Amino acid sequence: MRLIESQPIDLRTFFNIIDVMFDQDLLRTFVRIVDSGSFAATAEQLGRTPSAVSMQMKRLEEAAGRRLLVRSAHGVAPTAEGETLLIHARQILEAHEAAFDAMMAARGGKSLIIGTPDMYVKALLQPHLAEFVRAFPETSLHVVVDGSSELLRRFDEGALHLALLTEYQINDDRGDLVYSERGLWACKRNTDIHKKTPLPLALAFEGSHYRRLAQDFLRRHKRIYRIAVASNRQHAIQAAIDAGAAVGLLPESWLLASMRELKQADGFFEAPPLTVRMRAKKRLSAAGEWFVDRLRASQAEHAR
């Protein structure tokens, strides 16, 4: 990353820039702004004023020497440089959490680290959280939210005890099948946004299978489109569709009453199902085995 355009910098300035770029508080605020799409919402989450959050982002952008966020009628989104920083910011924050977990384990603390795409937290994890806390009060549950490809890499590196992975995204059918759901195209109800040219899309970042699927379909049918909203958080994609700002692909359970499914009569194809597989370490704690059993049981009940 180029930090300052075309200007030599002295060592003191350089290390000041490094301090800012790796400041976890600034990076965490940056990530929350991207995830929520709002300075005000982030300020409320952090218990700060919007002006304080804006000042933090000003410091970060000055250190990066690039504009990282852009405001629009639909909220705040990362620039191309911001998307690049976002990937590394998440990795830095998660590495810090992993280091903390390792130190806790060395001191006798217990933890269970589960990785999952954000769209499955509610369906797969939420039903078991209260019971888990009661059953294992001394175990800290850490949920790492990211795309399946990145989660698979982290699992292979030993950073996760359990990983919930979208099968089509990793092109791999190993592991236990724990969830399956229909995918669909959606738009805001009572709008004709799906007829617009170019077609505004709300999609995941580059590397997502659903993004490639949508783009390939539109190219084959010679539909002109533009990426109106890009995010690796399903909540942001859902919000863009619900606001009438874009058309997008969603799991069926994420279709709100204020939206409608786009079907073949509208010129859209039926999306493939979302299939989730679970990878687990060979040796798990009692807490890990408990979660594995619950996820398997939930799938068996869902399949009936």
Side-chain angles (χ1 to χ4, degrees):
M1 178 187 296
R2 288 175 59 197
L3 300 177
I4 300 292
E5 290 188 17
S6 305
Q7 293 182 6
I9 56 176
D10 59 40
L11 283 178
R12 178 176 295 180
T13 302
F14 174 77
F15 284 115
N16 284 340
I17 290 171
I18 294 298
D19 285 343
V20 172
M21 293 301 295
F22 287 91
D23 185 312
Q24 291 177 46
D25 190 39
L26 295 183
L27 293 178
R28 188 170 287 107
T29 300
F30 172 69
V31 169
R32 290 202 180 195
I33 290 171
V34 174
D35 288 347
S36 67
S38 166
F39 277 78
T42 299
E44 185 176 351
Q45 292 170 13
L46 298 175
R48 298 171 184 166
T49 64
S51 60
V53 170
S54 294
M55 285 299 296
Q56 282 189 297
M57 291 306 95
K58 182 179 179 182
R59 286 183 61 205
L60 191 60
E61 289 185 328
E62 287 176 349
R66 295 287 187 277
R67 190 170 185 182
L68 302 173
L69 297 167
V70 61
R71 297 175 187 263
S72 71
H74 306 302
V76 181
T79 62
E81 292 83 358
E83 288 190 13
T84 299
L85 177 61
L86 182 65
I87 294 170
H88 296 291
R90 293 193 194 281
Q91 292 174 346
I92 290 168
L93 294 173
E94 288 165 9
H96 178 265
E97 291 181 4
F100 176 79
D101 288 339
M103 293 301 99
M104 287 294 291
R107 294 172 55 187
K110 298 178 182 179
S111 65
L112 176 64
I113 309 173
I114 300 178
T116 177
D118 72 322
M119 68 177 74
Y120 307 131
V121 172
K122 185 174 182 179
L124 294 179
L125 299 187
Q126 184 174 327
H128 309 298
L129 294 181
E131 187 181 357
F132 175 84
V133 171
R134 289 193 297 269
F136 301 94
E138 296 181 359
T139 299
S140 174
L141 177 64
H142 287 231
V143 179
V144 177
V145 176
D146 212 325
S148 293
S149 298
E150 176 62 18
L151 292 173
L152 178 59
R153 182 186 69 80
R154 290 179 178 276
F155 178 80
D156 288 341
E157 291 176 352
L160 303 174
H161 298 118
L162 298 177
L164 304 176
L165 308 169
T166 305
E167 182 177 296
Y168 65 73
Q169 193 165 341
I170 59 172
N171 194 28
D172 193 332
D173 62 359
R174 288 178 293 172
D176 291 281
L177 176 65
V178 293
Y179 190 70
S180 183
E181 182 177 9
R182 191 169 71 93
L184 51 82
W185 284 90
C187 73
K188 178 77 171 178
R189 191 177 292 278
N190 298 323
T191 69
D192 60 356
I193 191 169
H194 62 291
K195 298 178 181 178
K196 287 190 174 182
T197 301
L199 180 70
L201 295 179
L203 296 175
F205 288 148
E206 290 288 353
S208 163
H209 175 81
Y210 250 26
R211 178 177 175 128
R212 291 194 301 271
L213 189 71
Q215 291 174 313
D216 289 346
F217 168 80
L218 295 170
R219 291 186 188 112
R220 284 198 308 272
H221 290 78
K222 296 181 171 54
R223 287 291 302 270
I224 301 172
Y225 67 90
R226 66 182 182 88
I227 307 298
V229 177
S231 177
N232 67 343
R233 290 294 184 264
Q234 198 67 28
H235 282 289
I237 293 172
Q238 183 193 53
I241 297 170
D242 191 42
V247 168
L249 286 166
L250 289 174
E252 185 175 20
S253 62
W254 286 69
L255 186 72
L256 302 177
S258 53
M259 303 175 186
R260 77 175 182 91
E261 179 181 357
L262 293 168
K263 300 185 177 181
Q264 192 169 359
D266 300 301
F268 290 81
F269 68 100
E270 183 174 349
L274 296 159
T275 303
V276 183
R277 291 193 176 270
M278 174 180 61
R279 296 279 190 90
K281 282 187 173 181
K282 291 183 178 180
R283 293 184 179 180
L284 286 172
S285 64
E289 293 289 357
W290 183 94
F291 235 112
V292 167
D293 290 342
R294 291 302 184 279
L295 290 170
R296 285 172 176 162
S298 294
Q299 168 57 20
E301 185 176 338
H302 179 72
R304 289 173 188 167

